[in-house]
Amino acid sequence: MMEKYDVIVVGGGHAGCEAATAAANLGSKTLLITMDMTKYGQMSCNPAMGGIAKGQIVREIDALGGYSGILADKTTIQFRMLNKSKGPAMWSPRAQNDRFRFVEEWRNILENTDNLDLWQDAVIQLIIKDKKVTGVKTKIGVEFESNTVVLTNGTFLNGLMHIGQEKLAGGRIGEAASYNISEQLLEAGFKTGRMKTGTPVRIDGRTIDFSKLTEQKGDEGHYKFSYLPGTETKLKQRSCWITHTSAEVHEELQQGFEDSPMFDGTIQSTGPRYCPSIESKLVTFAEKEKHQLFLEPEGENTIEYYLNGFSSSLPWQVQLKGLHKISGLEKAKIFRPGYAIEYDYFDPTQLNHTLETKIIDNLFFAGQINGTTGYEEAGAQGIMAGINAHLKSAGNNDTFVLKRNEAYIGVLIDDLVTKGVDEPYRMFTSRAEFRILLRQDNADIRLTEKSYKLGLASLERLNLLQEKTRLIQEIIDYAKDFSVKPRFVNQLLTEKGTSELKQGVKLFDLILRPQISIFDLIEVITPFKTFLGRVPEVRKTEIIEGAEIVIKYEGYINREKLLAEKLDKFENINIENKFNYNELKSISTEARQKLDKIKPKTIGQAKRISGVSPSDINVLLVLLGR
Amino acid sequence: MMEKYDVIVVGGGHAGCEAATAAANLGSKTLLITMDMTKYGQMSCNPAMGGIAKGQIVREIDALGGYSGILADKTTIQFRMLNKSKGPAMWSPRAQNDRFRFVEEWRNILENTDNLDLWQDAVIQLIIKDKKVTGVKTKIGVEFESNTVVLTNGTFLNGLMHIGQEKLAGGRIGEAASYNISEQLLEAGFKTGRMKTGTPVRIDGRTIDFSKLTEQKGDEGHYKFSYLPGTETKLKQRSCWITHTSAEVHEELQQGFEDSPMFDGTIQSTGPRYCPSIESKLVTFAEKEKHQLFLEPEGENTIEYYLNGFSSSLPWQVQLKGLHKISGLEKAKIFRPGYAIEYDYFDPTQLNHTLETKIIDNLFFAGQINGTTGYEEAGAQGIMAGINAHLKSAGNNDTFVLKRNEAYIGVLIDDLVTKGVDEPYRMFTSRAEFRILLRQDNADIRLTEKSYKLGLASLERLNLLQEKTRLIQEIIDYAKDFSVKPRFVNQLLTEKGTSELKQGVKLFDLILRPQISIFDLIEVITPFKTFLGRVPEVRKTEIIEGAEIVIKYEGYINREKLLAEKLDKFENINIENKFNYNELKSISTEARQKLDKIKPKTIGQAKRISGVSPSDINVLLVLLGR
Ligand SMILES: Cc1cc2nc3c(=O)[nH]c(=O)nc-3n(C[C@H](O)[C@H](O)[C@H](O)COP(=O)(O)OP(=O)(O)OC[C@H]3O[C@@H](n4cnc5c(N)ncnc54)[C@H](O)[C@@H]3O)c2cc1C
Ligand SMILES: Cc1cc2nc3c(=O)[nH]c(=O)nc-3n(C[C@H](O)[C@H](O)[C@H](O)COP(=O)(O)OP(=O)(O)OC[C@H]3O[C@@H](n4cnc5c(N)ncnc54)[C@H](O)[C@@H]3O)c2cc1C
């Protein structure tokens, strides 16, 4: 009765929306089924995108032709480039977003995507024939046929929420959970487990005493997520506000520990170690006298604030008492208390690198269902699953997999499918061996052409990329060629605290100095400024900064590139019984211990052990004479 | 732990939002609890406000200082003044609305209302002590104390949805139902029953063949709902589209009748006779070969269309097959099928005219819970319940009740509490005895001063009202005084098909002619035009039309006013055994039968019998020598 689809995506969260649009944009007849069409890409927790390592992922999704970056831009109510004072590998874009607009923009995009049909309903069963998925059944009794199915159920599978001793079934507060699917997959042979995550109280901004808080404004700058022009936010920019817990607050909260589902054994599942509840922080960091908290506005106009850092499943009375001891929040009224949620996930080692399951053909998993946490991690898996479901449905045996040295997305998926997870997985820069390669400024250079070849990234993106790489190269060539006379720059150099020139040098050598940026030099070297006139105004920062990073960090970048290639090349070299790791002084202690314990058979296996870095591996290769 | 409230409103639908803002604006410390803060004032069914009789209600809510009119204006994507060709008692404003913006605007208003706190949660129990409500308990375990509680649970109490043989628990598709409250009230002695309503498929606009449909554009005009300036829509205006069912469509649908929950006995509860499902229409009007259907856009930008007139709980396959036989919808894809929902309501004769229950003190009911249907009916009850809950909480024994000759809202509530309901109650002009008094143009004149005295309508509203009444009176006086010479107007009179003047007459007498409007006369009588220069440009239509209606219909209006006063005056006259109704030839057949059957004791009781009109009562009074 219904037409047969190439790809069905179950769930309209961050993973599902990216998956569905990717598949449809590649030409697959796609259906996105979700329980509530007013909640596409709902931010279940904090109203923000990006941040350290996560910001890089958003830019990668964008470079591939996904939408998370565009939406994050359009709905920005505060933007900051984090870690700007550190090396460019650490620069991480982060936006505070209007959560209502975010949902609206997703809906807008979905509605305007060709080949994409939308359906509001809950999937309650997969149709599986001979270990191959062929469709889904829904709660209202509809059967849809499809070549492939992508499951992106998020925190909804048998979701159970906790607030103190109260338990509420549901996938998110106010929303129903999803049943039957886990049970069916368990029966089909999948391993499943429970994880937990949590969220803090939402506060009525009219009851906050801002005079006691520290204001945190956004950057004035011109950064954004998307490489495309025209995605700039038009929304009013808003500040975040900083406050702290205190001994008094901690005391109040501790009163509730005996009724805490975290501590009385009710919640057995693992929560995110790096985004813990306030009660976990009080236990784990018992010596800390205060914890920083951020009050983040939930939208351009709303009075609702999110209290970042105060996630909790303590009884609501306890949360409220603790809250009222916080400076500035003495009289705070809330819209609802924080809560924890437990949900089913599936051990991601049951997946191939394409995110297709090993047990059921043509079935893909993406997002929180794989044991990750975070919108960005979910969106990244979504676009990859969408691409691979499309390829699988097209039946030409192609797959699309990113390597660890190509993208954080590559690191993410490789970590998931090879190492599995024992707590909700979120991305950190430390998870990437080749951090200096995986920067936020060059995600397009790393990924857009690949995606264009696939048919996903648009010609516009390719043109922008080519313009950018050409201009960067021109700047570098110019800098290598152009000689600077001392009298033009010595004043600047002195001001910036670096030694004066005695004689002319190449512009390139000046740019190499850490204290000096191209933007300084433009002001004093007129021909350079004139030359840079060729860079389109809207992309000036992006392109000049791109050139500067390449110039300044060329050494590091090339070293990492070579190392990455070397490791790839020697992937299959046998190292079984070749080393007594305990005696290797030139590798890190952690690597020594892990290698000794795991005793990997090949270089490839060794390099995938977490805690073993590429330079540790390089030591082994050198010892082997490579 | 939580502060004690004056008024707690349960449910953030149309009734709840009006109730909460009214109480808070009057100064009561108010709490609005609703299950999902992203769905304030959600339009469960068609994205439209107003219409015949309902449009008058919206203007009355506005005149009282409520928000439904303002929101309907701001979110208008098409506006029409219905029945403009009929007498002004029948003029009814109607807007097509952007459903997303409507919710957003409600939220915005709620967030900016002083004295109003918001809480996201489900109420699962009332706290009742000695037959008096003192608070509520919620699903997440919070207890809130309050002087009064207003229940506005809509279609959520034990809600059960039907699509063919599939049954889904829930309050609206994708939303959870509300449990325990009905059971508690039943135990407390309330009578409860089940009602049903339904909604049609939602269609993907990209799959509609508009070339086969008839376009229906909105009015060009300057009408809107709110009496306040500045509420004009800024949204792009959109068209609706008309199509029809056909014998072929009916045939397809009839195939599904045996699996229809409406016909196989599954749904026993009563649905709205005047807004029936398509399957009911096929049975009730078996002779009709086609039914008109309207495709209504759901928002300014969305591709979603609502198929007005095609409400159904037939199996989804049957709905879809029928749909595909409709001209223009042969290839339509849908986002979800139509469904019916059954829910608990409470017999409204258990309420006082203040909407407080007779059984539990300080407990008020408003909206669909009272057996009504429609956003406007819900909003109207909401504002009245909010006002009365405030007054009750303030403890000064005041009540705020509107009479049948003052407002449709008066008719609505009087009908509910005196006659009860045996099907979902919606407003019609025929329910009002004093239709010519209860016009859409004069809701402010009827109600704003009353509400201002109460403290709800703002001074701005009062000023606008006073300006309007003063200007209308000035226009009337001018018209009575000003003499028109034949040569200025005879050409116009001929063009309009009415007899020429032989000699000068008063302007007033010309306006009395049905063919002639003030707007015509302005063009030919320069002094009149100059005089009308004093009317502020933004209110020109409103005020001139107001004056014209008073002039043209003065006779009718005065007669109804007198009659209304007479009926009020003789309310308590005893008529028991005074008449042999069967012999009264000068009253309507319906009145004759009803009076004979019910044998009312007083004029008051007689006039409240539905089907007995004020002029029927007048006949009785005349016979009694009054
Ligand atoms: C309370 C809470 C706190 C969180 N805290 C944090 C945090 O502090 N930091 C952080 O990084 N992340 C946090 N997260 C996680 C973050 O929200 C998720 O990682 C992210 O939303 C995952 O995206 P997703 O697309 O995988 O799933 P989700 O965003 O959960 O979306 C799942 C979607 O699938 C739909 N769906 C589910 N089952 C079905 C079905 N059977 N049929 C049809 N539709 C279905 C749902 O309606 C929903 O739209 C939190 C989540 C929650 C709920
Ligand atoms: C499927 C469907 C079809 C309809 N068709 C029509 C139609 O054709 N024509 C027409 O005129 N009207 C129709 N209606 C009716 C119209 O939607 C209602 O009349 C109107 O919305 C009633 O407003 P309300 O405020 O009384 O309730 P609702 O709009 O139903 O709002 C109730 C609110 O209360 C909240 N709530 C409920 N219980 C609790 C609780 N225990 N705790 C906290 N919050 C709670 C809900 O979340 C919701 O926000 C239809 C409704 C539905 C569901």
Side-chain angles (χ1 to χ4, degrees):
Chain A
M1 159 114 231
M2 298 290 196
E3 73 181 301
K4 182 173 171 186
Y5 288 96
D6 296 322
V7 178
I8 287 180
V9 177
V10 179
H14 306 269
C17 290
E18 288 288 4
T21 44
N25 284 331
L26 283 165
S28 272
K29 274 204 297 187
T30 305
L31 176 69
L32 175 59
I33 305 178
T34 201
M35 286 160 55
D36 185 341
M37 284 179 69
T38 69
K39 299 220 151 91
Y40 287 120
Q42 172 83 2
M43 296 175 145
S44 319
C45 195
N46 61 328
M49 288 284 281
I52 294 166
K54 288 167 173 270
Q56 284 85 324
I57 292 181
V58 176
R59 298 211 80 182
E60 290 176 356
I61 296 173
D62 185 71
L64 289 171
Y67 294 100
S68 295
I70 296 171
L71 294 189
D73 286 345
K74 288 196 174 173
T75 63
T76 290
I77 55 171
Q78 175 182 98
F79 195 96
R80 290 168 63 216
M81 184 64 87
L82 307 181
N83 282 338
K84 194 76 204 278
S85 61
K86 301 189 183 166
M90 299 304 289
W91 296 9
S92 299
R94 181 186 189 278
Q96 208 61 49
N97 300 93
D98 184 312
R99 68 158 72 254
F100 312 103
R101 291 275 160 278
F102 195 87
V103 169
E104 187 176 297
E105 291 285 347
W106 253 127
R107 170 142 183 165
N108 207 338
I109 283 169
L110 294 168
E111 286 194 352
N112 289 292
T113 300
D114 287 344
N115 305 316
L116 179 58
D117 291 346
L118 306 172
W119 187 265
Q120 176 167 319
D121 205 345
V123 167
I124 53 166
Q125 201 187 317
L126 302 170
I127 307 171
I128 299 172
K129 292 195 186 124
D130 302 333
K131 303 229 154 248
K132 184 168 160 184
V133 72
T134 61
V136 300
K137 280 190 195 161
T138 76
K139 201 164 165 189
I140 65 176
V142 185
E143 283 192 24
F144 292 99
E145 261 190 289
S146 180
N147 289 333
T148 61
V149 172
V150 184
L151 284 189
T152 70
N153 302 70
T155 55
F156 283 68
L157 295 173
N158 292 312
L160 183 68
M161 290 171 281
H162 300 268
I163 303 173
Q165 296 297 307
E166 302 290 334
K167 292 179 196 52
L168 293 81
R172 230 165 7 206
I173 202 87
E175 290 178 69
S178 166
Y179 299 104
N180 303 332
I181 295 179
S182 298
E183 291 71 8
Q184 189 192 5
L185 292 174
L186 205 67
E187 210 157 284
F190 282 89
K191 276 181 292 177
T192 168
R194 295 286 273 176
M195 280 192 174
K196 86 142 254 263
T197 186
T199 194
V201 292
R202 301 301 201 274
I203 299 179
D204 184 334
R206 298 174 298 180
T207 62
I208 299 173
D209 181 353
F210 290 102
S211 72
K212 294 192 179 162
L213 309 183
T214 310
E215 184 167 7
Q216 184 183 53
K217 287 183 187 282
D219 295 344
E220 293 287 309
H222 6 246
Y223 290 111
K224 59 187 191 66
F225 286 105
S226 180
Y227 292 97
L228 291 180
T231 65
E232 292 78 9
T233 180
K234 297 195 175 78
L235 306 185
K236 193 173 72 200
Q237 298 301 287
R238 292 189 64 176
S239 293
C240 294
W241 301 84
I242 300 174
T243 183
H244 293 91
T245 62
S246 64
E248 252 190 307
V249 177
H250 297 181
E251 220 165 85
E252 283 294 355
L253 296 177
Q254 272 148 357
Q255 303 275 333
F257 278 17
E258 61 187 41
D259 284 325
S260 156
M262 290 283 292
F263 300 139
D264 73 358
T266 311
I267 298 182
Q268 299 264 357
S269 48
T270 325
R273 200 175 2 139
Y274 306 100
C275 192
S277 63
I278 184 71
E279 53 265 34
S280 308
K281 284 193 264 189
L282 296 193
V283 172
T284 320
F285 311 102
E287 71 295 350
K288 274 192 92 169
E289 275 174 14
K290 57 180 188 173
H291 294 275
Q292 199 171 42
L293 301 174
F294 293 85
L295 278 153
E296 305 176 345
E298 298 248 347
E300 181 186 19
N301 294 311
T302 183
I303 57 171
E304 186 169 337
Y305 278 81
Y306 176 93
L307 185 56
N308 202 341
F310 206 68
S311 181
S312 180
S313 59
L314 286 168
W316 66 268
Q317 300 93 332
V318 178
Q319 292 187 37
L320 207 57
K321 278 190 193 152
L323 190 76
H324 287 161
K325 299 287 180 196
I326 297 171
S327 175
L329 303 180
E330 292 84 353
K331 298 193 170 155
K333 290 187 179 181
I334 65 173
F335 294 151
R336 53 182 165 91
Y339 65 91
I341 182 165
E342 293 186 286
Y343 53 90
D344 298 339
Y345 78 100
F346 290 85
D347 173 356
T349 62
Q350 304 171 99
L351 302 174
N352 295 315
H353 275 84
T354 57
L355 298 178
E356 184 180 6
T357 73
K358 294 173 181 168
I359 299 178
I360 305 289
D361 278 352
N362 296 16
L363 178 64
F364 296 74
F365 290 171
Q368 193 107 353
I369 192 176
N370 289 334
T372 62
T373 173
Y375 314 136
E376 305 81 358
E377 289 84 349
Q381 292 169 67
I383 192 169
M384 296 301 284
I387 293 170
N388 282 299
H390 160 80
L391 293 172
K392 183 77 189 243
S393 169
N396 53 11
N397 288 325
D398 281 350
T399 61
F400 188 72
V401 174
L402 297 173
K403 285 195 278 184
R404 297 183 73 93
N405 57 19
E406 284 176 336
Y408 273 97
I409 299 179
V411 174
L412 167 71
I413 293 178
D414 187 57
D415 277 354
L416 291 177
V417 307
T418 60
K419 298 179 190 166
V421 292
D422 45 21
E423 62 177 326
Y425 180 102
R426 66 158 284 185
M427 186 47 72
F428 296 102
T429 47
S430 62
R431 298 198 191 266
E433 307 84 324
F434 305 107
R435 277 207 284 296
I436 188 80
L437 302 183
L438 309 184
R439 304 185 312 276
Q440 61 83 31
D441 63 282
N442 70 347
D444 54 345
I445 300 177
R446 291 182 275 123
L447 302 175
T448 294
E449 195 168 345
K450 265 184 205 297
S451 176
Y452 175 76
K453 282 195 184 135
L454 199 63
L456 185 57
S458 61
L459 183 59
E460 180 188 13
R461 286 191 183 273
L462 188 71
N463 289 340
L464 286 165
L465 167 68
Q466 287 174 341
E467 181 186 63
K468 172 171 161 180
T469 46
R470 195 187 63 238
L471 286 167
I472 289 180
Q473 195 52 52
E474 285 176 20
I475 297 171
I476 296 170
D477 292 345
Y478 182 92
K480 283 188 173 157
D481 186 55
F482 186 88
S483 298
V484 183
K485 304 237 163 56
R487 69 189 153 96
F488 290 109
V489 293
N490 275 347
Q491 191 190 341
L492 172 74
L493 298 181
T494 312
E495 278 168 14
K496 295 281 173 184
T498 169
S499 56
E500 295 194 347
L501 295 186
K502 299 272 145 57
Q503 60 195 63
V505 297
K506 293 294 181 200
L507 180 56
F508 192 90
D509 295 314
L510 277 184
I511 300 174
L512 277 176
R513 295 191 181 191
Q515 301 87 344
I516 301 297
S517 94
I518 293 184
F519 296 98
D520 301 325
L521 294 170
I522 297 176
E523 298 309 316
V524 292
I525 307 173
T526 315
F528 192 27
K529 184 166 195 165
T530 312
F531 171 79
L532 288 177
R534 68 181 60 190
V535 182
E537 204 51 50
V538 285
R539 303 183 80 194
K540 211 135 213 166
T541 321
E542 181 192 353
I543 288 172
I544 295 178
E545 230 165 48
E548 177 155 336
I549 291 169
V550 174
I551 294 173
K552 278 194 159 64
Y553 297 88
E554 206 183 15
Y556 302 96
I557 294 172
N558 285 340
R559 209 176 313 142
E560 273 205 358
K561 264 195 197 146
L562 287 175
L563 189 51
E565 280 162 20
K566 188 170 171 187
L567 263 52
D568 272 359
K569 190 164 143 209
F570 297 118
E571 168 90 19
N572 295 320
I573 294 263
N574 190 301
I575 54 167
E576 219 176 348
N577 304 322
K578 295 254 163 79
F579 301 101
N580 182 349
Y581 295 109
N582 280 322
E583 288 176 0
L584 296 183
K585 295 296 163 219
S586 43
I587 63 174
S588 73
T589 314
E590 192 182 353
R592 215 179 297 138
Q593 289 167 352
K594 292 259 177 93
L595 288 167
D596 190 54
K597 191 172 153 220
I598 296 170
K599 303 209 165 53
K601 297 211 171 91
T602 61
I603 285 290
Q605 202 190 334
K607 84 176 180 193
R608 275 186 288 272
I609 297 170
S610 88
V612 179
S613 74
S615 48
D616 294 326
I617 301 291
N618 196 34
V619 170
L620 302 186
L621 285 172
V622 170
L623 289 173
L624 290 173
R626 311 275 185 169
Chain B
M1 161 112 234
M2 296 292 195
E3 71 181 299
K4 183 174 170 184
Y5 288 95
D6 299 321
V7 179
I8 288 180
V9 177
V10 179
H14 305 267
C17 290
E18 288 289 2
T21 46
N25 284 331
L26 283 165
S28 273
K29 274 203 300 185
T30 307
L31 176 67
L32 175 57
I33 306 178
T34 200
M35 286 160 57
D36 185 342
M37 285 178 68
T38 68
K39 300 219 151 94
Y40 287 119
Q42 172 83 5
M43 297 175 145
S44 319
C45 194
N46 60 328
M49 289 284 280
I52 293 165
K54 288 167 173 268
Q56 283 85 323
I57 293 181
V58 176
R59 298 211 82 183
E60 290 176 356
I61 297 173
D62 185 69
L64 289 170
Y67 293 101
S68 295
I70 296 172
L71 295 189
D73 285 346
K74 287 196 175 172
T75 62
T76 291
I77 53 171
Q78 174 181 102
F79 196 95
R80 289 169 62 216
M81 183 64 86
L82 307 182
N83 282 339
K84 196 70 202 287
S85 61
K86 302 190 184 166
M90 298 304 289
W91 297 9
S92 300
R94 182 187 190 277
Q96 208 60 48
N97 301 93
D98 184 312
R99 69 159 70 253
F100 312 103
R101 291 275 159 277
F102 195 87
V103 170
E104 188 176 297
E105 292 286 345
W106 253 128
R107 170 142 184 166
N108 208 339
I109 282 169
L110 294 168
E111 286 194 354
N112 289 295
T113 300
D114 287 344
N115 305 316
L116 179 57
D117 292 346
L118 306 173
W119 187 266
Q120 175 168 321
D121 205 344
V123 167
I124 54 167
Q125 201 187 317
L126 301 170
I127 307 171
I128 298 173
K129 290 191 188 128
D130 302 332
K131 301 230 156 251
K132 184 169 160 183
V133 71
T134 63
V136 300
K137 279 189 194 160
T138 74
K139 197 162 167 191
I140 68 177
V142 186
E143 282 191 24
F144 293 99
E145 262 189 288
S146 180
N147 290 332
T148 61
V149 172
V150 184
L151 286 189
T152 68
N153 302 70
T155 53
F156 284 67
L157 295 173
N158 293 313
L160 182 67
M161 290 170 281
H162 300 268
I163 303 172
Q165 297 298 308
E166 301 291 333
K167 293 180 196 49
L168 293 81
R172 222 159 23 199
I173 202 88
E175 290 179 68
S178 167
Y179 300 104
N180 304 328
I181 295 180
S182 299
E183 291 71 9
Q184 191 192 2
L185 291 174
L186 204 66
E187 211 156 286
F190 282 89
K191 278 182 292 178
T192 170
R194 296 285 273 176
M195 279 192 173
K196 85 141 256 255
T197 185
T199 195
V201 292
R202 302 301 200 275
I203 299 178
D204 184 334
R206 298 175 296 179
T207 61
I208 299 172
D209 182 352
F210 290 101
S211 71
K212 295 193 180 161
L213 308 183
T214 310
E215 186 167 7
Q216 184 181 52
K217 286 184 189 281
D219 294 345
E220 293 286 312
H222 7 244
Y223 290 111
K224 60 188 190 67
F225 286 105
S226 181
Y227 292 98
L228 291 180
T231 65
E232 292 77 11
T233 181
K234 298 198 175 74
L235 306 185
K236 192 173 72 201
Q237 298 301 290
R238 292 188 64 176
S239 294
C240 294
W241 301 82
I242 300 173
T243 182
H244 293 90
T245 63
S246 63
E248 252 191 306
V249 177
H250 298 182
E251 218 165 89
E252 283 295 355
L253 296 178
Q254 272 148 356
Q255 304 276 332
F257 277 16
E258 62 187 42
D259 284 327
S260 156
M262 291 281 292
F263 300 137
D264 73 358
T266 311
I267 297 182
Q268 299 265 357
S269 48
T270 325
R273 195 169 12 132
Y274 305 101
C275 194
S277 62
I278 183 72
E279 53 267 33
S280 310
K281 284 192 264 188
L282 296 194
V283 172
T284 318
F285 310 101
E287 71 294 352
K288 275 192 89 168
E289 271 175 17
K290 57 182 188 170
H291 293 277
Q292 199 171 41
L293 302 174
F294 292 86
L295 278 153
E296 304 176 346
E298 299 249 347
E300 182 185 18
N301 295 312
T302 182
I303 56 170
E304 188 169 335
Y305 277 81
Y306 176 93
L307 185 56
N308 202 341
F310 206 67
S311 183
S312 180
S313 59
L314 287 168
W316 65 268
Q317 299 92 331
V318 179
Q319 293 187 36
L320 207 56
K321 277 192 197 151
L323 189 76
H324 287 161
K325 298 288 179 197
I326 297 171
S327 174
L329 303 180
E330 292 83 354
K331 297 193 169 154
K333 290 186 180 183
I334 66 174
F335 293 152
R336 52 182 166 91
Y339 65 92
I341 182 166
E342 291 187 288
Y343 53 91
D344 298 341
Y345 78 100
F346 290 87
D347 174 356
T349 62
Q350 304 171 97
L351 303 174
N352 296 313
H353 274 85
T354 58
L355 297 179
E356 186 181 5
T357 71
K358 295 173 181 168
I359 299 178
I360 305 289
D361 278 352
N362 296 16
L363 178 63
F364 296 74
F365 290 172
Q368 192 108 355
I369 192 177
N370 289 334
T372 62
T373 174
Y375 315 136
E376 305 81 0
E377 289 84 349
Q381 293 169 67
I383 192 169
M384 296 302 285
I387 293 172
N388 281 301
H390 160 79
L391 293 172
K392 183 77 189 240
S393 169
N396 52 11
N397 287 327
D398 281 349
T399 60
F400 187 72
V401 174
L402 297 174
K403 286 196 279 188
R404 297 183 74 92
N405 56 17
E406 285 176 336
Y408 273 97
I409 299 181
V411 174
L412 167 71
I413 294 179
D414 188 57
D415 276 353
L416 291 177
V417 308
T418 60
K419 299 181 191 166
V421 291
D422 45 20
E423 63 177 325
Y425 179 102
R426 66 158 287 184
M427 187 47 72
F428 296 102
T429 47
S430 61
R431 297 198 190 269
E433 307 84 326
F434 305 106
R435 275 207 287 293
I436 188 81
L437 302 183
L438 309 184
R439 303 186 312 277
Q440 60 83 31
D441 65 283
N442 71 347
D444 53 346
I445 300 176
R446 292 182 275 125
L447 302 175
T448 294
E449 196 167 347
K450 267 183 205 291
S451 175
Y452 175 76
K453 283 194 186 135
L454 199 65
L456 185 57
S458 62
L459 182 60
E460 181 189 14
R461 284 191 185 275
L462 187 72
N463 288 339
L464 286 166
L465 168 67
Q466 288 173 341
E467 182 186 65
K468 172 170 160 179
T469 45
R470 196 186 63 239
L471 286 168
I472 287 180
Q473 195 52 52
E474 284 176 22
I475 296 172
I476 295 171
D477 293 344
Y478 182 91
K480 284 188 173 156
D481 187 56
F482 186 88
S483 298
V484 184
K485 303 235 164 58
R487 68 189 151 97
F488 291 111
V489 293
N490 274 348
Q491 190 189 339
L492 173 72
L493 298 182
T494 313
E495 277 169 15
K496 294 282 173 184
T498 169
S499 57
E500 295 198 348
L501 296 187
K502 301 266 144 60
Q503 58 195 67
V505 297
K506 293 293 180 200
L507 182 53
F508 192 89
D509 296 314
L510 277 185
I511 299 175
L512 277 176
R513 297 192 179 188
Q515 302 86 343
I516 300 297
S517 97
I518 294 186
F519 296 99
D520 300 327
L521 294 169
I522 296 176
E523 298 308 318
V524 290
I525 309 173
T526 315
F528 192 29
K529 185 167 195 165
T530 312
F531 171 79
L532 289 176
R534 67 182 60 191
V535 182
E537 203 50 52
V538 285
R539 303 183 78 197
K540 212 136 211 165
T541 320
E542 179 189 354
I543 287 173
I544 294 178
E545 230 165 45
E548 175 154 336
I549 290 169
V550 174
I551 295 173
K552 277 195 158 65
Y553 297 88
E554 208 183 15
Y556 302 97
I557 295 172
N558 286 340
R559 207 176 313 144
E560 273 207 357
K561 265 195 196 143
L562 287 176
L563 188 51
E565 280 161 22
K566 187 170 171 189
L567 263 52
D568 272 359
K569 192 164 140 210
F570 296 117
E571 166 93 18
N572 296 318
I573 295 264
N574 191 300
I575 53 167
E576 221 174 349
N577 304 322
K578 294 257 164 74
F579 301 102
N580 181 350
Y581 294 112
N582 279 323
E583 289 177 358
L584 297 182
K585 295 294 165 226
S586 43
I587 64 175
S588 72
T589 315
E590 192 180 357
R592 214 179 299 138
Q593 290 165 352
K594 291 257 175 96
L595 288 166
D596 190 56
K597 193 172 153 218
I598 297 170
K599 301 208 167 46
K601 297 212 173 83
T602 61
I603 285 289
Q605 202 191 331
K607 84 176 184 196
R608 275 187 287 275
I609 297 170
S610 89
V612 178
S613 75
S615 47
D616 293 327
I617 301 291
N618 196 34
V619 169
L620 302 185
L621 285 171
V622 169
L623 289 172
L624 290 172
R626 312 272 185 173

